[in-house]
């Protein structure tokens, strides 16, 4: 972090809708708060597995509430997140590993595209309900996010390489070490120690802890 600025890390997966809300809100706060925001693409599946966590919608009453909550949050944050009745089937039927490896490859090679690319993945998955697991869809998403074709092609070729797999694994492990059990996991490095905040609804608390 630059002098006197608080480093705030956002560990996220584009399959997580609450991560999108936290991402957009933190992108706005970045202009007001004295923070350096660092995006940390990680793998939600790995975090759920390692901590024994289960998707909240597996509890029907909680699933019912989440649909309503997500609609309210999307409206409040003005993020074009759509919750349809089959949102959870859509979610459960998708593996985000390829997408997160692609995003990780871009983070390693051309990090200036990380923000627009991540946003476009959320747009496709949570606003347009499109598939984000197939290579041709991933390339279309990258193109829409403004990435040159040769960069996307190169990143796609990198997704099965050890450096990319290791980087995604390491970032996920780092989130776990901070105490993450789901996404989004927001870690503020303040007063010489990391402070973990879970979810997109703890940002006023985050502000208070870091003196904003």
């Amino acid at each position: 972090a630059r002098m006197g600025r608080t480093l705030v890390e956002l560990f996220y997966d584009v399959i997580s809708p609450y991560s999108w809300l936290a991402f957009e809100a933190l992108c706005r706060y970045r202009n007001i708060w004295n923070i350096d925001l660092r995006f940390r693409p990680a793998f939600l599946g790995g975090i759920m597995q390692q901590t024994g966590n289960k998707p909240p919608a597996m509890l029907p009453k909680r699933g019912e509430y989440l649909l309503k909550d997500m609609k309210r949050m999307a409206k409040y944050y003005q993020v074009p997140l759509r919750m349809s009745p089959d949102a959870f089937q859509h979610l459960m039927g998708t593996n985000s590993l390829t997408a997160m490896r692609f995003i990780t490859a871009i983070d390693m090679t051309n990090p200036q595209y990380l923000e627009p690319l991540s946003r476009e993945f959320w747009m496709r998955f949570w606003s347009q309900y499109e598939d984000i697991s197939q290579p041709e869809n991933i390339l279309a998403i990258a193109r829409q996010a403004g990435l040159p074709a040769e960069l996307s092609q190169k990143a796609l070729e990198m997704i099965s390489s050890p450096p990319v797999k290791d980087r995604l694994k390491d970032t996920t492990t780092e989130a776990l070490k901070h105490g993450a059990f789901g996404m989004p996991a927001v870690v503020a490095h303040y007063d010489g120690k990391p402070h973990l905040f879970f979810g997109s609804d703890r940002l006023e608390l985050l502000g208070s802890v870091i003196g904003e």
Side-chain angles (χ1 to χ4, degrees):
R2 285 181 301 231
M3 196 61 197
R5 292 173 84 82
T6 301
L7 171 65
V8 174
E9 298 183 280
L10 171 66
F11 292 89
Y12 67 94
D13 186 319
V14 292
I15 205 168
S16 154
Y18 284 110
S19 290
W20 190 12
L21 299 174
F23 172 90
E24 296 297 358
L26 284 168
C27 283
R28 295 166 196 171
Y29 277 121
R30 172 175 66 182
N31 303 312
I32 309 161
W33 287 355
N34 196 21
I35 61 172
D36 280 328
L37 180 58
R38 189 175 171 206
F39 300 120
R40 306 297 309 276
F43 182 46
L44 179 56
I47 286 185
M48 300 295 272
Q49 199 183 355
Q50 290 293 315
T51 58
N53 196 354
K54 298 209 172 11
M58 285 177 79
L59 185 69
K61 277 290 171 208
R62 197 170 173 196
E64 259 172 61
Y65 174 77
L66 279 184
L67 283 172
K68 288 182 196 140
D69 184 52
M70 213 75 88
K71 277 184 182 145
R72 287 189 298 218
M73 294 280 275
K75 192 177 171 191
Y76 177 73
Y77 281 121
Q78 297 179 317
V79 173
L81 169 69
R82 280 192 319 117
M83 288 310 278
S84 73
D86 63 351
F88 297 125
Q89 283 87 318
H90 177 57
L91 180 63
M92 301 304 265
T94 302
N95 186 329
S96 64
L97 187 57
T98 307
M100 293 316 296
R101 280 182 181 161
F102 182 81
I103 291 168
T104 298
I106 290 297
D107 187 23
M108 291 166 77
T109 54
N110 298 89
Q112 71 273 27
Y113 291 112
L114 184 58
E115 185 183 327
L117 179 66
S118 300
R119 182 175 285 117
E120 194 56 42
F121 266 100
W122 274 304
M123 284 294 288
R124 287 295 172 109
F125 192 71
W126 282 111
S127 195
Q128 295 155 14
Y129 277 65
E130 288 176 21
D131 182 19
I132 58 164
S133 60
Q134 298 307 312
E136 62 275 16
N137 296 46
I138 288 173
L139 288 175
I141 289 166
R143 188 167 58 242
Q144 188 67 38
L147 277 76
E150 61 276 16
L151 289 189
S152 308
Q153 200 51 55
K154 189 179 158 225
L156 198 59
E157 285 158 19
M158 286 171 69
I159 57 178
S160 51
S161 71
V164 169
K165 286 180 171 177
D166 289 346
R167 169 74 166 266
L168 183 59
K169 219 176 264 169
D170 290 348
T171 306
T172 305
T173 303
E174 214 177 306
L176 285 161
K177 279 188 184 138
H178 285 309
F181 52 87
M183 299 269 189
V186 182
V187 178
H189 298 267
Y190 186 74
D191 242 2
K193 54 182 184 287
H195 303 259
L196 171 74
F197 300 87
F198 172 68
S200 55
D201 54 352
R202 288 292 178 268
L203 298 179
E204 66 275 45
L205 192 57
L206 161 69
S208 164
V209 166
I210 65 174
E212 291 291 350

